[in-house]
Amino acid sequence: MEENTTVQYTDDNIRHLSDMEHVRTRPGMYIGRLGDGSLPEDGIYVLLKEVVDNSIDEFKMNAGKRIEVDVEDNLRVTVRDYGRGIPQGKLVEAVSVLNTGGKYDSKAFKKSVGLNGVGVKAVNALSARFEVRSYRDGKVRSLVFERGQLKSDTTEDTEDETGTFIFFEPDPTLFVNYSFHDEFVETMLRNYTYLNAGLTIMYNGRRIISRNGLEDLLNDTMTTEGLYPIIHIVGEDIEIAFTHTNQYGEEYHSFVNGQHTTQGGTHQTAFKEHIAKTIKEFFGKNYEYTDIRNGLVAAIAINVEEPMFESQTKIKLGSLQMSPGGESINKYVGDFIKREVDNYLHIHSDVAEVMQQKIQESEKERKAMSGITKLARERAKKANLHNRKLRDCRIHYSDTKNDRKEDSAIFITEGDSASGSITKSRDVNTQAVFSLRGKPLNSFGLTKKVVYENEEFNLLQAALDIEDGLDTLRYNKVIVATDADVDGMHIRLLIITFFLQFFPELIKKGHVYVLQTPLFRVRNRRTKIRDKKVVADADAHRAKNERKSDFITRYCYSDEERIKAIHDLGPDPEITRFKGLGEISPDEFVHFIGPDMRLEQVTLHKNDQVKKLLEYYMGKNTMERQNFIIDNLVVVEDLPEEDTELNEE
């Protein structure tokens, strides 16, 4: 008789989680993703942002003009502001009870970012140690928490200035091997100063301040020179700055109540629409909006009462109105741009002349490509129907309502064997594969016409769906996956050059990565044979009886890691040198493109001197590069002793 294995469902199965337990159990609901700090959207930066947001809100209420942020050993953070200090009688509730805070009353915090009573509570719950001190009325109340549980509560007299001190150390059991990256932290803090004139942030002893707001932001981030001086206009609850450049595409920085909305939202959409409409009406010509905005680099910041965001991470504005029941954001932004930009262009005729020349050049180039683009789009549609180049996934970045859209990725690889291995190993829900045929064309110095004439580029553009900008981008991560040899490096550079030349915003917005794959596999030869009957014949039956799981295997991404693995695994290890991605079996490849895959983000900054670098490495100065190689060539006569141990399979 079969035993009844039905699981019993009783009162004991009903469990209530405390606020702190719920945050720790479902961290994704509160901070989006965990991560290890290697990407700017990782959870540790959301924790920092939640703390600093509170200090910024104090500044906005004219309470405290200085904020001190210190990151110790890239692991522990302290933030001290000189605002009013959290009311001490409710300090415990303010940092540990959800839906509790002082920002629900719009009279106190009219245009705050944190209105949901979650922010600092999530920081508390997700930290191994969390400390908060409130300085008010000559008293300081101090609380210490560990993983959301209160450990101490003291109150003392103090002569320190009023304000709030917060220390937190993210829980390493949640944020495994995490580390704060200085570049990401500084970018976040600089954005705060651009949006808050008069605010000083001291970051690890360095002073960060902005005197010209969004004009400073554009000057500090633009990687190509503006064709005319930045147009910078400030209103009561809105600030805009923009100029045109000779780069392709459009580039936007948008903010709401000091929050960097990296995915835009209703305010950015309104800006794009009305800036093009206003310029078109000013010139009285039937210009296409795409021609008007081509090369546009712009920033917009607005203040909205009780803003609504599309997720807890607050990177896309969903509000339709400037305040509950008030004027629409679209109308507010549109009226401001129509009035101020139109006035500016009438006064500055020299700027208007340069702007019109840029628009006419974009129009001329577009019309010259019109016939080619139509044929190219038809070819791309046919190719997608037959799925020749693209092995797509099910979830895309453009699926705005899908919780996993941030995980969507596309691997750009070369050759059938490499793409085949990735295709068999990938997560079909979130990982797509695009296969190149041979080396792509060097696109440096060419016009966008080549994007449509070259089949590889045309199909890649169609696969990403970025012909009209990043609003329709289908994958959050665009991952270049090439062999770790000279040819692979060349292909990698050619693809990145293509993006830099025609879609620089794809890189500036942090969507482009390089996949790091192992150079070596090191595993021990001495296996554990569990069946005692075969011990005597172990040598003769090794291949038949040993199991892969008996191996201790290390995948090494550098010579240093290989040497350490040899030392750790003992004498006579088996070492395999991977010559290319196609040599790695799908069973092994799954380790390199899973949750722990190593990605190196491709970044683009003002100080990178990209134009000079591209001219030198991708330009027509062949002899100059050849002489550089000859002058800097290092000849290795004798390989290190460890290399003689390599056994290539």
Side-chain angles (χ1 to χ4, degrees):
M1 185 174 178
E2 277 190 18
E3 184 180 349
N4 187 349
T5 58
T6 303
V7 177
Q8 297 299 310
Y9 184 46
T10 68
D11 290 346
D12 294 334
N13 296 109
I14 307 299
R15 180 186 172 200
H16 172 74
L17 296 177
S18 70
D19 286 349
M20 296 291 97
E21 287 176 324
H22 192 270
V23 177
R24 290 183 61 82
T25 305
R26 296 286 185 268
M29 291 177 59
Y30 299 91
I31 64 167
R33 53 174 288 153
L34 292 173
D36 61 3
S38 58
L39 303 176
E41 65 266 26
D42 284 349
I44 58 172
Y45 303 111
V46 178
L47 301 185
L48 173 59
K49 183 186 71 63
E50 293 288 2
V51 175
V52 177
D53 277 348
N54 289 339
S55 298
I56 294 295
D57 286 334
E58 287 296 293
F59 171 81
K60 286 181 176 293
M61 299 303 294
N62 299 314
K65 295 184 177 181
R66 187 173 83 258
I67 301 171
E68 297 164 0
V69 179
D70 292 285
V71 180
E72 180 187 356
D73 298 330
N74 299 320
L75 298 174
R76 294 168 288 277
V77 178
T78 58
V79 178
R80 171 69 155 102
D81 68 41
Y82 297 88
R84 296 164 295 179
I86 301 171
Q88 293 178 354
K90 293 289 186 178
L91 187 59
V92 174
E93 292 88 340
V95 299
S96 64
V97 179
L98 297 182
N99 305 311
T100 303
K103 300 177 186 177
Y104 296 106
D105 180 2
S106 61
K107 293 178 182 177
F109 290 91
K110 290 184 179 180
K111 298 179 176 70
S112 167
V113 169
L115 283 170
N116 47 23
V118 171
V120 77
K121 290 83 165 175
V123 182
N124 185 353
L126 301 177
S127 294
R129 183 178 179 87
F130 176 89
E131 300 177 23
V132 58
R133 302 172 199 159
S134 172
Y135 300 86
R136 286 174 69 114
D137 305 320
K139 300 284 186 182
V140 54
R141 185 179 182 186
S142 304
L143 308 177
V144 176
F145 293 80
E146 292 179 2
R147 294 178 171 84
Q149 301 301 309
L150 181 62
K151 297 298 180 180
S152 72
D153 181 352
T154 61
T155 301
E156 300 174 345
D157 293 333
T158 183
E159 295 182 357
D160 287 350
E161 293 181 62
T162 60
T164 301
F165 169 97
I166 287 181
F167 165 90
F168 71 93
E169 183 174 0
D171 188 345
T173 64
L174 299 172
F175 305 93
V176 180
N177 297 322
Y178 78 89
S179 174
F180 284 94
H181 288 226
D182 182 77
E183 177 188 356
F184 299 152
V185 175
E186 184 167 342
T187 297
M188 178 196 300
L189 299 181
R190 284 196 181 279
N191 283 339
Y192 281 117
T193 62
Y194 293 137
L195 301 165
N196 296 280
L199 171 67
T200 297
I201 294 181
M202 298 299 297
Y203 171 47
N204 284 352
R206 304 197 298 270
R207 185 167 175 261
I208 303 175
I209 191 170
S210 170
R211 302 191 186 281
N212 301 302
L214 295 185
E215 182 179 350
D216 286 342
L217 184 151
L218 293 192
N219 276 322
D220 290 348
T221 58
M222 284 169 53
T223 55
T224 53
E225 291 185 9
L227 298 178
Y228 50 83
I230 293 170
I231 298 174
H232 181 213
I233 307 172
V234 181
E236 182 180 353
D237 278 317
I238 184 171
E239 179 181 357
I240 64 172
F242 67 93
T243 186
H244 279 85
T245 69
N246 276 326
Q247 72 182 30
Y248 284 101
E250 308 164 33
E251 180 181 334
Y252 300 98
H253 307 264
S254 63
F255 303 85
V256 176
N257 298 6
Q259 167 64 35
H260 189 191
T261 43
T262 55
Q263 290 185 15
T266 51
H267 59 319
Q268 182 172 304
T269 300
F271 177 86
K272 291 176 61 176
E273 174 191 345
H274 291 289
I275 196 71
K277 183 178 180 181
T278 298
I279 292 172
K280 178 178 180 178
E281 290 176 354
F282 173 81
F283 289 119
K285 303 285 186 179
N286 193 28
Y287 293 136
E288 295 279 346
Y289 281 4
T290 54
D291 295 330
I292 294 173
R293 293 197 299 249
N294 184 40
L296 184 69
V297 179
I300 176 173
I302 65 171
N303 293 321
V304 176
E305 191 171 327
E306 300 182 19
M308 299 295 294
F309 297 93
E310 291 194 2
S311 69
Q312 170 58 26
T313 50
K314 307 169 188 171
I315 55 178
K316 188 173 184 179
L317 181 66
S319 298
L320 298 176
Q321 297 164 317
M322 293 294 292
S323 62
E327 185 177 14
S328 76
I329 289 175
N330 187 280
K331 185 178 186 303
Y332 181 84
V333 173
D335 289 348
F336 177 81
I337 290 175
K338 170 63 178 174
R339 179 179 65 253
E340 300 296 337
V341 174
D342 185 76
N343 288 343
Y344 186 96
L345 294 177
H346 274 99
I347 295 170
H348 300 85
S349 57
D350 54 337
V351 171
E353 184 178 344
V354 176
M355 183 185 292
Q356 186 170 34
Q357 184 178 349
K358 168 62 179 175
I359 295 169
Q360 289 171 342
E361 289 172 357
S362 297
E363 180 183 53
K364 183 178 179 181
E365 183 175 341
R366 177 183 55 81
K367 288 182 176 179
M369 297 190 304
S370 60
I372 299 171
T373 55
K374 184 177 180 181
L375 291 172
R377 291 189 191 107
E378 290 175 357
R379 289 201 307 271
K381 286 181 181 178
K382 290 179 181 178
N384 286 336
L385 285 173
H386 296 291
N387 206 23
R388 292 192 305 153
K389 307 287 293 182
L390 175 67
R391 297 167 179 85
D392 207 358
C393 55
R394 294 169 183 155
I395 298 171
H396 299 107
Y397 191 53
S398 50
D399 299 340
T400 55
K401 302 301 181 184
N402 196 300
D403 292 339
R404 295 194 65 194
K405 74 185 189 76
E406 299 287 336
D407 297 328
S408 61
I410 183 170
F411 295 95
I412 303 174
T413 189
E414 187 271 329
D416 293 336
S417 57
S419 63
S421 293
I422 295 179
T423 300
K424 293 174 183 175
S425 310
R426 67 181 175 134
D427 179 345
V428 295
N429 289 309
T430 60
Q431 295 177 330
V433 182
F434 183 90
S435 177
L436 294 168
R437 185 181 67 249
K439 288 186 178 180
L441 180 70
N442 180 2
S443 59
F444 175 69
L446 302 179
T447 67
K448 204 169 185 179
K449 185 178 179 181
V450 74
V451 177
Y452 300 95
E453 290 180 327
N454 182 277
E455 183 180 16
E456 299 289 303
F457 290 157
N458 178 41
L459 297 180
L460 178 56
Q461 174 186 247
L464 299 176
D465 198 10
I466 53 176
E467 181 179 11
D468 297 321
L470 299 192
D471 289 346
T472 52
L473 176 65
R474 300 181 80 234
Y475 312 96
N476 184 29
K477 292 184 176 66
V478 180
I479 303 170
V480 183
T482 59
D483 293 344
D485 58 14
V486 174
D487 283 339
M489 178 66 73
H490 191 203
I491 294 170
R492 181 187 304 176
L493 291 175
L494 290 169
I495 296 171
I496 293 174
T497 298
F498 168 70
F499 291 139
L500 286 170
Q501 184 77 5
F502 303 115
F503 305 100
E505 194 184 10
L506 194 67
I507 293 177
K508 288 185 178 183
K509 291 294 186 182
H511 293 292
V512 180
Y513 300 82
V514 172
L515 176 67
Q516 300 297 314
T517 50
L519 297 172
F520 307 97
R521 179 183 63 210
V522 180
R523 59 185 180 186
N524 62 332
R525 294 181 185 277
R526 301 181 182 278
T527 60
K528 297 179 293 181
I529 300 178
R530 296 189 175 92
D531 190 341
K532 294 182 180 180
K533 293 181 180 179
V534 301
V535 171
D537 299 317
D539 292 335
H541 295 86
R542 179 182 295 274
K544 182 177 180 181
N545 292 298
E546 71 181 9
R547 299 181 352 179
K548 285 186 179 180
S549 60
D550 293 329
F551 282 116
I552 298 176
T553 303
R554 297 276 183 85
Y555 295 102
C556 308
Y557 292 76
S558 66
D559 276 322
E560 290 76 17
E561 291 186 18
R562 175 179 62 85
I563 292 169
K564 185 178 187 303
I566 292 171
H567 178 269
D568 292 345
L569 296 184
D572 194 26
E574 176 189 274
I575 307 171
T576 300
R577 169 69 160 92
F578 294 122
K579 291 183 178 179
L581 302 185
E583 290 189 352
I584 305 175
S585 69
D587 289 341
E588 288 186 291
F589 220 118
V590 71
H591 299 297
F592 316 137
I593 60 173
D596 298 325
M597 75 174 154
R598 297 194 191 185
L599 296 177
E600 183 178 350
Q601 190 173 43
V602 181
T603 59
L604 182 57
H605 303 290
K606 185 180 182 69
N607 297 328
D608 290 339
Q609 297 184 313
V610 174
K611 185 177 180 182
K612 288 184 178 179
L613 287 172
L614 287 177
E615 284 176 349
Y616 184 82
Y617 290 105
M618 309 305 290
K620 297 180 179 180
N621 55 325
T622 308
M623 288 304 299
E624 188 179 357
R625 290 198 300 271
Q626 180 177 308
N627 292 334
F628 174 84
I629 293 171
I630 293 172
D631 293 341
N632 292 275
L633 185 65
V634 177
V635 178
V636 181
E637 295 181 356
D638 298 308
L639 290 173
E641 200 170 294
E642 291 86 1
D643 285 343
T644 62
E645 298 178 0
L646 267 67
N647 297 297
E648 296 179 355
E649 292 185 344

